Amino acid sequence: CGDEIKKMQGEKNKCADERGLLLNESLQGIRTIKLYSWEIFAISRVLETRSREVDKLRSMGTLRALQTFMALGVPIVAMVATFVVYQYVNQELDADVIFISAGLFEFLNMALAIIPNALNELRRMLVSINRIGRFVYSPATYKQEKHEGTGSVSVKDATFIWENFEKISLTKPKK
């Protein structure tokens, strides 16, 4: 159950990333989308990706509910089964035995309920760390432009005309 949740978490993250890219792409080209009336197409792409993401979330929720039921329900079934077996073997089940045993079972139940949640959070953390690691260690996809000269602007064979030439300073400022 836990490995399925981890797998679905990764798939949900991929869907969320894809949706984010589609939204970013749509926002970057919003003028083109509006100009050609592609709004319905752009919206349908985003909604289809969101639908897949919600399906993954729904599946993850179902598995988590099953896991929670198992974590909280199994100890209660074990407690009842223990009382039945105790009654069958000893022929006598007093209130003091029931209350002391119920307290001990409840103590164990809380510990057993925490473990699956801690494992789920550990799995989510590992998925997130793997995603961050892939991002940090991915190769750079941009290229720096190489500029000739020392400044950020280079002008060759240009003619400049000013009306008030006396006010213009062509000296390089000192740092």
Side-chain angles (χ1 to χ4, degrees):
C1 192
D3 290 335
E4 285 294 317
I5 292 174
K6 181 180 176 183
K7 185 177 104 178
M8 285 187 188
Q9 179 75 34
E11 292 172 1
K12 195 250 349 154
N13 288 344
K14 286 179 186 175
C15 289
D17 291 345
E18 184 179 340
R19 183 174 52 88
L21 288 173
L22 286 173
L23 282 171
N24 189 29
E25 177 184 304
S26 297
L27 291 173
Q28 292 291 326
I30 193 70
R31 287 184 179 166
T32 305
I33 290 172
K34 287 292 200 181
L35 180 68
Y36 292 113
S37 298
W38 290 342
E39 294 97 342
I40 295 172
F41 175 72
I43 290 170
S44 67
R45 285 176 60 196
V46 171
L47 289 178
E48 187 259 325
T49 306
R50 177 64 180 158
S51 175
R52 283 188 284 130
E53 182 182 358
V54 168
D55 288 343
K56 299 296 179 194
L57 282 169
R58 202 172 277 126
S59 298
M60 283 173 43
T62 303
L63 286 175
R64 284 191 176 150
L66 177 65
Q67 189 176 30
T68 301
F69 172 75
M70 296 288 285
L72 297 176
V74 169
I76 293 171
V77 171
M79 180 174 60
V80 171
T82 302
F83 289 148
V84 168
V85 170
Y86 186 86
Q87 174 69 31
Y88 180 75
V89 171
N90 290 339
Q91 301 294 323
E92 186 178 321
L93 188 59
D94 297 333
D96 58 342
V97 172
I98 292 174
F99 286 119
I100 290 173
S101 300
L104 293 174
F105 273 111
E106 185 62 30
F107 181 73
L108 291 173
N109 190 12
M110 291 306 292
L112 290 174
I114 291 172
I115 291 172
N117 289 331
L119 290 176
N120 278 340
E121 294 305 316
L122 178 65
R123 287 184 191 105
R124 287 179 62 194
M125 181 187 71
L126 290 175
V127 168
S128 297
I129 287 173
N130 287 337
R131 289 185 64 187
I132 292 170
R134 282 194 308 269
F135 174 74
V136 169
Y137 293 115
S138 65
T141 57
Y142 64 93
K143 293 181 181 178
Q144 280 188 323
E145 295 181 18
K146 295 183 180 180
H147 298 284
E148 294 180 15
T150 58
S152 60
V153 176
S154 169
V155 179
K156 293 181 181 178
D157 299 324
T159 304
F160 299 97
I161 299 173
W162 290 277
E163 290 182 22
N164 298 326
F165 187 72
E166 298 83 29
K167 296 181 180 178
I168 297 174
S169 172
L170 297 176
T171 60
K172 186 177 179 180
K174 294 181 181 180
K175 294 182 181 180

